[in-house]
Amino acid sequence: MSTDAPATGPRRTDRPLDEAGVATAIRRAAERGTTVRPTGAGGRAPGPLVRTDEVLLDASALTGVARIGGAAGSGDEDTVRVRAGETLADLCTALAASGRALATVPDPPRATIAGAIGLGMTGGVPRGTSLSDQVRAVRLVDGRGTVREVTGGPELDAVRCGLGAFGVVTSVELRTVPLQRLRVGEEQTRVDDVLADDLFSAYAWTECDVAVHTGQAVLRWAEPETPETAGAAAEPPERAGWGQAVSRLASSWWQSRSSWPPPQRWTPGTVGPPHQVLPDPQPWDPDLAEWAVPRAALGSVLRELGAAAAARGHELRPVRVRTGAAETGLLHPASGRDTAYLRIRARGPAEEPLRRLACAVLEDADGRPCWTTRHEWGPDELAVAYPGWAAFAEVRDRFDPDRRFTDPYLSAVLGP
């Protein structure tokens, strides 16, 4: 799980080179009565999930793609088996070389596969789901040091977005899709028009920045390139790296924004593979709040956010909106319902009351906090918000009965 570095530092850091080394490290921790928190290769999604003063298990050596596809007729021709410490950027590059791609592309390029799945990171595919929902199988070492291959049922749905509470993931099998070049575009509009025409669902990929106090919006979209549009395509960037097509101005706007609208993210006519053109340039930081609300409530939620801030004499920074389909992960924020994801940015202590106000509005709208950002939820709130909470807790009891993979923060969120 790649999140912020520990605040004080672990008593011990283990860096196993393979799955057997992971099992040995966990058994040793069990013998000594210490807890273990896994970390990856430095994706640094915000949050305290690897802040521990006991054993930190660094999975950054568990990298590489084991296989892409399988034998004809095997049923796994459209899958990839990848080790848990591989980064999203490296996996996408390897898949592209074989003419394949991930069905959805989360944003942080250095996030590990296990971290992106375990935290439920999303990618903005309105009729699709997050990377967690693309998981076909997970291989992990549980709290007793036993290797498990999880392939279906409630166990897989628990592990899909497991927060590192079930064990140390060593490899994952994911669904892939044929690689397609995407033509991207953006336009200034009104959020009422976006909602009235259901433009979130009109394209293969969408996101929208919304100024809730004025109703102004910038809609971004992507569609697969077709033979009819290929001839009009602009030349792609010379390097096909992660987010290479995203402008530097767009990347810095969220840090120093002082005007509307934001700079264009892409040069007109930009075309490229998903991992090159889609990543969000908005940097992750501890002040970011992201919530998942029912898709049908999006319009009323945006209006309420603007009204609540205005009533207190405040103005929210632009809200970034993406949508996605319902998922089966027991603790995924989109579990059981079509979802709209809203990212709220409040900079520093001076804007903390505004962040709390926005979170209160989103919670009142049946929202669920996303696991990549900080929140104040615990087991009581989870039991109400997630129908699968009891099943999640039951799988946790079987996979980690001694709570080898916990710490004070995770205990506060999931319970002892």
Side-chain angles (χ1 to χ4, degrees), residues 42-404:
R44 296 185 64 79
L49 283 170
V50 298
R51 291 175 182 162
T52 180
D53 57 4
E54 295 197 3
V55 178
L56 189 69
L57 196 147
D58 177 1
S60 60
L62 303 178
T63 59
V65 176
R67 64 164 176 80
I68 297 176
S74 64
D76 58 7
E77 299 93 332
D78 64 344
T79 65
V80 58
R81 172 70 71 159
V82 59
R83 295 181 181 89
E86 187 79 343
T87 64
L88 287 169
D90 289 343
L91 175 58
C92 286
T93 299
L95 287 173
S98 297
R100 306 295 295 181
L102 295 175
T104 187
V105 182
D107 297 313
R110 293 179 58 230
T112 62
I113 298 304
I117 291 167
L119 292 171
M121 293 183 183
T122 61
V125 181
R127 293 180 295 276
T129 50
S130 73
L131 195 62
S132 302
D133 205 54
Q134 312 306 316
V135 173
R136 296 280 185 84
V138 174
R139 193 171 174 89
L140 59 78
V141 183
D142 70 13
R144 298 286 175 85
T146 301
V147 177
R148 292 177 180 258
E149 180 85 9
V150 185
T151 58
E155 291 183 347
L156 184 58
D157 283 337
V159 173
R160 286 186 191 280
C161 186
L163 310 180
F166 298 100
V168 177
V169 176
T170 58
S171 69
V172 177
E173 186 176 287
L174 294 166
R175 184 177 75 90
T176 66
V177 296
L179 178 66
Q180 291 183 300
R181 285 163 55 84
L182 299 179
R183 173 177 293 276
V184 294
E186 55 193 309
E187 59 179 307
Q188 295 186 47
T189 183
R190 302 284 302 179
V191 69
D192 288 344
D193 295 333
V194 173
L195 296 172
D197 297 334
D198 195 19
L199 296 181
F200 278 110
S201 300
Y203 304 99
W205 175 93
T206 50
E207 75 171 25
C208 192
D209 288 340
V210 180
V212 294
H213 59 291
T214 65
Q216 295 173 292
V218 171
L219 178 71
R220 302 185 184 88
W221 51 265
E223 281 282 272
E225 187 181 35
T226 65
E228 291 74 21
T229 62
E235 288 296 317
E238 293 182 3
R239 295 176 293 165
W242 187 274
Q244 185 61 45
V246 177
S247 76
R248 293 183 178 179
L249 280 175
S251 300
S252 63
W253 180 71
W254 287 92
Q255 295 273 36
S256 58
R257 175 198 55 79
S258 59
S259 62
W260 179 273
Q264 282 194 320
R265 182 178 295 187
W266 306 288
T267 302
T270 294
V271 176
H275 67 279
Q276 180 182 327
V277 299
L278 297 185
D280 186 350
Q282 177 180 351
W284 292 88
D285 66 40
D287 294 320
L288 184 70
E290 184 170 20
W291 284 69
V293 302
R295 173 68 177 83
L298 176 58
S300 60
V301 167
L302 290 172
R303 289 189 291 271
E304 180 60 26
L305 280 172
R312 292 158 178 80
H314 296 301
E315 180 180 308
L316 270 178
R317 295 170 183 267
V319 177
R320 179 153 291 170
V321 181
R322 290 178 174 179
T323 60
E327 306 205 10
T328 62
L330 299 180
L331 244 59
H332 192 280
S335 180
R337 67 190 193 189
D338 293 343
T339 295
Y341 302 93
L342 288 80
R343 291 182 183 175
I344 311 291
R345 182 173 296 275
R347 303 292 294 182
E351 296 185 19
E352 178 63 15
L354 189 57
R355 186 193 75 85
R356 289 183 174 274
L357 172 64
C359 291
V361 170
L362 296 169
E363 184 171 7
D364 287 346
D366 199 19
R368 300 164 175 165
C370 293
W371 298 111
T372 50
T373 59
R374 61 191 174 103
H375 60 85
E376 291 75 37
W377 273 30
D380 292 342
E381 290 82 3
L382 296 178
V384 172
Y386 288 96
W389 166 247
F392 182 96
E394 190 274 332
V395 176
R396 185 187 182 205
D397 286 341
R398 287 192 286 111
F399 278 41
D400 188 22
D402 303 319
R403 297 298 186 259
R404 191 67 49 216

